[in-house]
Amino acid sequence: MNTGVAITGMGILSPIGNTVAENLQALQNAQSSIATIEMIQTRHKEAIKVGEIKKTNQELATTLGLSDTHRFSRTAMLGAIAAKEALQEANITDIDRYKTGFISGTSVGGMDTTEQYYLRFKEEPNYRRFIQAQHAGFTTQTIAHHLGINGYVSTISTACSSAANAIMLGARMIRAGQLDRVVVGGTDALSKFTINGFNSLMILSDEVCTPFDHHRKGLNLGEAAAYLVLESDAMLQKTEKKVLGTVVGWANANDAFHQTASSANGEGAYLAMEQALAIAKLEPNAIDYINAHGTATPNNDLSEGRAMLRIFGQDSVPMFSSTKAYTGHTLAAAGAVEAVYSLLSLREQLIFPNLHFSTPMEEFSLIPQQTIQHRALQTVLSNSFGFGGNCSTLIFTN
């Protein structure tokens, strides 16, 4: 089997917790964050449910020690907090001593800031500094500068597979010897732009989402940031660090089917899982648990379910669940959020439940895990699928 790339740190800030420990506690207690909108003034405030981080921008800035004149966008502040937790767990204080990179996914970028101030840019010069925050890469550069990472810095924006692709690219660069260590993941904040955009697609739910349920009505948007620290074998030999897990398989595929919808037979998802298994040198029966993309939209759950059946066979699909009913769909951050949850599953030997499921889909007999389960887990597969058919799969082992 592929020896993989070592994970030595992880950090997360999500609607269900401000740290890895708080997220684990919420997962164990089946505590969902989904509720009506409180933090954003929008005409859709009472019409949909979302997963919000109940911290104001001022509170986030205070956590990071930022002054009013140096405050970041919400997306960047969430990312900086989560990335700092990951670096702290990896016990990295000497950023420049080794070749260290930062690869971050985002789709919203600084939209939350620019939409707040754009009507005042002309009259109030102090707000013009936020214009450049609109660019997704500016979010990444802002976080990297705050962390003191001056090496390789890159942004990935492939919609909801962004963070998974950041993890994949980081793992490939470690394997190729281009970096000694790299912080990988993603961050996205809720914004009016995002809410309005998804509302126009008519895929938002006015109820708590129900992944893989026959009566699913759509997704709940969420906001979050999560990051992993990946390190090379040479670094592990020098530092003798504790390894939280390994990334052994990764793949990205595109079915080129539609701008937003997945193909009916799950071609992109199938190819991503197939290729990730091949890179990991694993057979399908080696997978103990699947952290599914599971957005609770009619299209995704049907497409992903069919792809899982194609990979694993009618009677051999591993235990699976979607954790989006806890946090909402955190867009570009989702792949990293669920990577952290996959690693927690391996560490704690737990399968977290697919909340709110009640009725199997009529197209197949797949039933997600509905209660927390203690299981002997060695290998977890995590799916993240984005608009434009951009499908990614990661495989982790303990």
Side-chain angles (χ1 to χ4, degrees):
M1 186 180 75
N2 188 341
T3 56
V5 174
I7 301 161
T8 60
M10 56 183 175
I12 185 170
L13 177 56
S14 85
I16 61 171
N18 301 319
T19 62
V20 171
E22 288 183 11
N23 273 261
L24 174 60
Q25 184 177 30
L27 290 166
Q28 289 173 318
N29 294 328
Q31 293 176 343
S32 173
S33 67
I34 308 303
T36 52
I37 299 172
E38 294 181 14
M39 309 290 286
I40 297 176
Q41 294 304 315
T42 168
R43 69 184 68 179
H44 306 296
K45 196 167 185 177
E46 301 298 329
I48 61 171
K49 295 187 184 300
V50 299
E52 291 179 302
I53 293 171
K54 303 301 185 183
K55 284 183 174 289
T56 65
N57 286 350
Q58 181 58 57
E59 289 173 321
L60 296 173
T62 299
T63 298
L64 292 169
L66 303 176
S67 66
D68 285 345
T69 55
H70 291 88
R71 187 184 298 176
F72 308 157
S73 70
R74 185 173 180 85
T75 300
M77 289 193 289
L78 297 177
I81 291 169
K84 288 178 80 170
E85 183 186 14
L87 285 169
Q88 183 176 6
E89 182 172 29
N91 195 28
I92 293 177
T93 56
D94 52 346
I95 290 288
D96 291 329
R97 185 176 178 185
Y98 301 103
K99 289 187 295 183
T100 303
F102 181 63
I103 306 172
S104 183
T106 188
S107 58
V108 177
M111 179 65 72
D112 67 287
T113 303
T114 54
E115 72 181 14
Q116 182 179 357
Y117 295 115
Y118 79 98
L119 290 176
R120 289 181 276 175
F121 285 157
K122 186 175 181 180
E123 290 77 19
E124 301 186 43
N126 184 47
Y127 291 136
R128 292 175 192 169
R129 62 192 173 89
F130 292 118
I131 295 174
Q132 58 188 332
Q134 178 80 15
H135 189 279
F138 186 77
T139 297
T140 306
Q141 291 288 351
T142 298
I143 300 170
H145 179 74
H146 185 76
L147 299 175
I149 298 176
N150 301 304
Y152 180 83
V153 176
S154 186
T155 304
I156 292 181
S157 189
T158 55
C160 308
S161 60
S162 298
N165 286 332
I167 295 169
M168 178 179 71
L169 177 58
R172 293 178 64 188
M173 293 185 75
I174 293 288
R175 296 287 280 171
Q178 295 177 306
L179 292 171
D180 296 319
R181 56 196 184 188
V182 59
V183 182
V184 289
T187 178
D188 260 343
L190 282 169
S191 69
K192 291 182 181 180
F193 176 85
T194 315
I195 292 169
N196 292 337
F198 276 81
N199 188 62
S200 71
L201 296 173
M202 297 182 290
I203 56 174
L204 295 181
S205 178
D206 59 352
E207 299 176 356
V208 178
C209 70
T210 56
F212 296 102
D213 192 279
H214 175 68
H215 300 294
R216 65 199 184 281
K217 297 178 65 175
L219 61 82
N220 304 129
L221 289 171
E223 59 182 353
Y227 291 90
L228 307 179
V229 177
L230 309 183
E231 300 199 47
S232 67
D233 290 340
M235 286 297 296
L236 294 181
Q237 292 171 4
K238 290 176 184 177
T239 58
E240 298 181 351
K241 287 185 180 179
K242 177 182 178 181
V243 175
L244 306 179
T246 56
V247 194
V248 296
W250 51 78
N252 173 263
N254 196 308
D255 58 17
F257 174 73
H258 188 268
Q259 288 179 319
T260 59
S262 302
S263 58
N265 68 344
E267 188 67 16
Y270 169 81
L271 291 172
M273 288 187 282
E274 180 186 53
Q275 292 167 21
L277 286 164
I279 287 173
K281 297 182 174 60
L282 293 173
E283 295 298 322
N285 61 11
I287 302 299
D288 299 311
Y289 164 60
I290 300 171
N291 185 302
H293 187 53
T295 60
T297 58
N299 174 252
N300 174 88
D301 294 4
L302 177 60
S303 179
E304 185 174 13
R306 284 176 170 163
M308 290 192 294
L309 288 168
R310 290 174 64 188
I311 287 287
F312 297 100
Q314 186 69 38
D315 301 316
S316 303
V317 176
M319 298 183 76
F320 73 96
S321 64
S322 167
T323 48
K324 286 185 172 64
Y326 285 90
T327 62
H329 187 359
T330 58
L331 305 182
V337 168
E338 289 154 29
V340 170
Y341 294 169
S342 296
L343 290 165
L344 288 175
S345 286
L346 288 168
R347 190 185 80 185
E348 303 296 324
Q349 297 289 276
L350 289 175
I351 293 176
F352 305 118
N354 193 107
L355 302 179
H356 314 305
F357 178 87
S358 61
T359 308
M361 294 168 58
E362 62 182 13
E363 292 87 354
F364 43 61
S365 59
L366 291 176
I367 298 177
Q369 183 58 39
Q370 300 166 64
T371 58
I372 195 163
Q373 284 282 319
H374 291 267
R375 288 294 177 103
L377 302 177
Q378 291 186 321
T379 308
V380 173
L381 181 149
S382 182
N383 284 329
S384 298
F385 308 140
F387 283 166
N390 198 296
C391 301
S392 297
T393 295
L394 300 170
I395 300 175
F396 302 97
T397 61
N398 53 10

